[in-house]
Amino acid sequence: FAFEPDPDNLAYLQEMLAANNVRNVEVVPAGLYDSNGEAAFQQEIYGSRIIDNCGNNGGITRIPTVTIDEFFKRTKLDSIKLDIEGAEIAAVRGAKKTIATKRPGWAIASYHLQANGRPTSVELEKLLALDYGTVSTKYIAHPTTYANN
């Protein structure tokens, strides 16, 4: 599965999958988050993201969101790789049942900064350490938080 809420990236992803004859990827036009519904989304040249406070900024649209728990409740799931431009903590919060029942391994891009200025890796390690035996953040150039049993 590939989740892509950005309309421009979604079109490009679908184009690249078709051009390379990739047929084993289901593209989902939604963002992973801690709730099912919609969220404010800001499209920027160097990265789009879900935002909490949309204010009067340009480039704001609404996108559909889904939790990992909801989307994968009837699907086998072994591992999850996330790089979702700062929404990683919210996505993990939306995976409580999945963590408890399916125990997937995780590889999460964790270089983004939270509103408090701390990297997402700090919070991700705390969240995942509650349920996993091994949680660590590696790769200084592109920090990634890993969790597995």
Side-chain angles (χ1 to χ4, degrees):
F1 296 95
F3 293 82
E4 182 52 70
D6 184 302
D8 296 333
N9 285 340
L10 178 65
Y12 183 69
L13 172 61
Q14 291 170 324
E15 185 180 310
M16 289 300 102
L17 291 172
N20 289 289
N21 204 28
V22 176
R23 300 186 196 283
N24 64 343
V25 174
E26 181 179 328
V27 178
V28 181
L32 290 171
Y33 209 51
D34 59 6
S35 60
N36 298 306
E38 285 190 338
F41 187 75
Q42 185 169 26
Q43 292 176 279
E44 297 177 328
I45 294 172
Y46 295 106
S48 302
R49 61 194 157 95
I50 292 176
I51 57 174
D52 291 329
N53 181 4
C54 58
N56 293 324
N57 297 329
I60 306 296
T61 58
R62 305 284 306 170
I63 59 159
T65 60
V66 64
T67 65
I68 290 170
D69 283 344
E70 179 63 27
F71 190 85
F72 291 102
K73 65 184 173 186
R74 292 181 185 88
T75 305
K76 185 178 184 313
L77 184 63
D78 296 317
S79 62
I80 298 173
K81 164 67 171 98
L82 297 176
D83 187 351
I84 52 177
E85 303 308 313
E88 291 84 3
I89 292 169
V92 171
R93 287 185 178 138
K96 291 177 185 176
K97 291 177 186 174
T98 301
I99 290 170
T101 60
K102 299 181 185 204
R103 313 286 296 158
W106 295 83
I108 307 170
S110 53
Y111 59 89
H112 304 97
L113 296 179
Q114 299 176 68
N116 63 12
R118 291 173 38 170
T120 54
S121 60
V122 175
E123 183 69 19
L124 287 168
E125 286 184 11
K126 286 181 189 176
L127 280 171
L128 293 167
L130 299 172
D131 296 290
Y132 288 88
T134 304
V135 179
S136 62
T137 299
K138 300 178 183 178
Y139 305 111
I140 294 169
H142 191 278
T144 302
T145 301
Y146 298 93
N148 58 50
N149 291 315

